[in-house]
Amino acid sequence: PGSRTHTPLTTRSHAMNRLSQAFSRVYSLVTAHLPEEVSSFDNLVKSAPIEQRPAINAMYALKMRCAEFVSKQKPKKCPSCWLRVDACFCHKIRTCDEPAKHTVHVLMHTKEFLRTSNSGKLLIGSIPGSQLYVFGLKEDEDALLQMIHQNPHSTYILYPDASALSVDAAVHDAEGLPRSNLNLIVIDGTWTQAKSLNKWLPQEIPRIKLKPEMGSQFHLRE
């Protein structure tokens, strides 16, 4: 039988360092923006314009999630893979050695950040040059929207709506030649969360969808 060519992969213990840096960045941001006292936070929400309150609540949820993550009362967790240190699998994450032709931007829902079951973090650890944006952080939201504004004709959103293009249509030009330097936004969340994030993202940016070659082996737990 003929041999298949695989993208070279290596196992690196530091493959998830960017997630550790992301945790530190988010923790610093929410700590700097929000007061320590719960009563002060309540006053902040009450005094804020109604349209700003959802964003403040999202940041507060992130702060509570971060505080619980670093709590001394909880089993210590790895800041990179977000699992308990005795179950850390950072050393098993394989990172692609070849330079990425495109840039992956992971837009993670607030409630997915630091979840042990989150799988979007694996993209950050395994694909060189990938970027993480946490929804609910204004700095991240502004940065992602700025990237889209600067690259409107080379940005695609992975979301299977009715008008979504195939991957082949996105990565090849009108003459069928491969395109490079594309920006792919991957929405990370449950289906309900993904729907809300998709509505938040600019609607003029084309959506793309995957065409699986085989059925999913994933089964919902009863």
Side-chain angles (χ1 to χ4, degrees), residues 9-10 12 14-20 78-83 87-96 104-106 108 112 114-132 186 188:
L9 298 168
T10 57
R12 299 196 185 101
H14 62 274
M16 304 288 273
N17 277 353
R18 278 174 295 167
L19 277 169
S20 179
C78 171
S80 296
C81 67
W82 305 343
L83 297 178
C88 172
F89 62 78
C90 288
H91 62 287
K92 296 182 179 180
I93 300 299
R94 298 184 300 173
T95 302
C96 181
V104 173
H105 303 264
V106 178
M108 183 178 290
E112 285 296 306
L114 298 180
R115 283 182 66 92
T116 56
S117 59
N118 175 268
S119 56
K121 61 192 175 190
L122 299 178
L123 288 176
I124 303 298
S126 58
I127 301 179
S130 55
Q131 304 293 323
L132 174 64
V186 177
D188 183 25

Side-chain angles (χ1 to χ4, degrees), residues 69-79 82-87:
F69 189 85
V70 300
S71 173
K72 295 180 180 179
Q73 304 301 321
K74 299 285 183 179
K76 189 174 182 181
K77 294 183 179 180
C78 171
W82 305 343
L83 297 178
R84 289 173 47 153
V85 291
D86 56 355

Side-chain angles (χ1 to χ4, degrees), residues 10 36 38 40 72 113 123 133 148 154 164 170 188-189 196:
T10 57
E36 292 290 339
V38 175
S40 299
K72 295 180 180 179
F113 187 69
L123 288 176
Y133 306 84
I148 295 173
S154 60
D188 183 25
S196 64

Side-chain angles (χ1 to χ4, degrees), residues 105 133 142-152 155 183 185:
H105 303 264
Y133 306 84
D142 289 346
L144 181 59
L145 292 177
Q146 182 180 15
M147 185 283 295
I148 295 173
H149 178 73
Q150 293 174 344
N151 305 277
T155 299
N183 293 284
I185 299 174

Side-chain angles (χ1 to χ4, degrees), residues 51-222:
E51 64 273 13
Q52 294 181 9
R53 293 178 185 178
I56 296 175
N57 282 318
M59 287 194 64
Y60 186 73
L62 278 172
K63 181 177 182 178
M64 293 298 98
R65 192 175 291 273
C66 289
E68 181 181 4
F69 189 85
V70 300
S71 173
K72 295 180 180 179
Q73 304 301 321
K74 299 285 183 179
K76 189 174 182 181
K77 294 183 179 180
C78 171
S80 296
C81 67
W82 305 343
L83 297 178
R84 289 173 47 153
V85 291
D86 56 355
C88 172
F89 62 78
C90 288
H91 62 287
K92 296 182 179 180
I93 300 299
R94 298 184 300 173
T95 302
C96 181
D97 279 337
E98 293 185 352
K101 296 179 181 178
H102 313 294
T103 303
V104 173
H105 303 264
V106 178
L107 176 59
M108 183 178 290
H109 193 274
T110 309
K111 294 182 179 180
E112 285 296 306
F113 187 69
L114 298 180
R115 283 182 66 92
T116 56
S117 59
N118 175 268
S119 56
K121 61 192 175 190
L122 299 178
L123 288 176
I124 303 298
S126 58
I127 301 179
S130 55
Q131 304 293 323
L132 174 64
Y133 306 84
V134 180
F135 187 69
L137 280 181
K138 189 176 186 303
E139 289 84 353
D140 282 23
E141 294 175 358
D142 289 346
L144 181 59
L145 292 177
Q146 182 180 15
M147 185 283 295
I148 295 173
H149 178 73
Q150 293 174 344
N151 305 277
H153 303 298
S154 60
T155 299
Y156 294 87
I157 299 170
L158 183 61
Y159 189 82
D161 65 11
S163 62
L165 304 171
S166 68
V167 173
D168 284 341
V171 301
H172 293 88
D173 61 19
E175 298 178 357
L177 299 175
R179 301 172 64 193
S180 59
N181 301 321
L182 298 180
N183 293 284
L184 175 62
I185 299 174
V186 177
I187 298 175
D188 183 25
T190 65
W191 274 112
T192 300
Q193 294 165 355
K195 287 179 181 178
S196 64
L197 293 181
N198 181 57
K199 289 181 180 180
W200 176 81
L201 288 164
Q203 297 304 299
E204 66 272 16
I205 300 300
R207 271 58 174 169
I208 62 173
K209 59 184 176 183
L210 302 176
K211 186 179 180 180
E213 296 181 356
M214 62 181 68
S216 173
Q217 297 180 354
F218 177 78
H219 297 282
L220 292 175
R221 292 175 294 181
E222 295 183 358

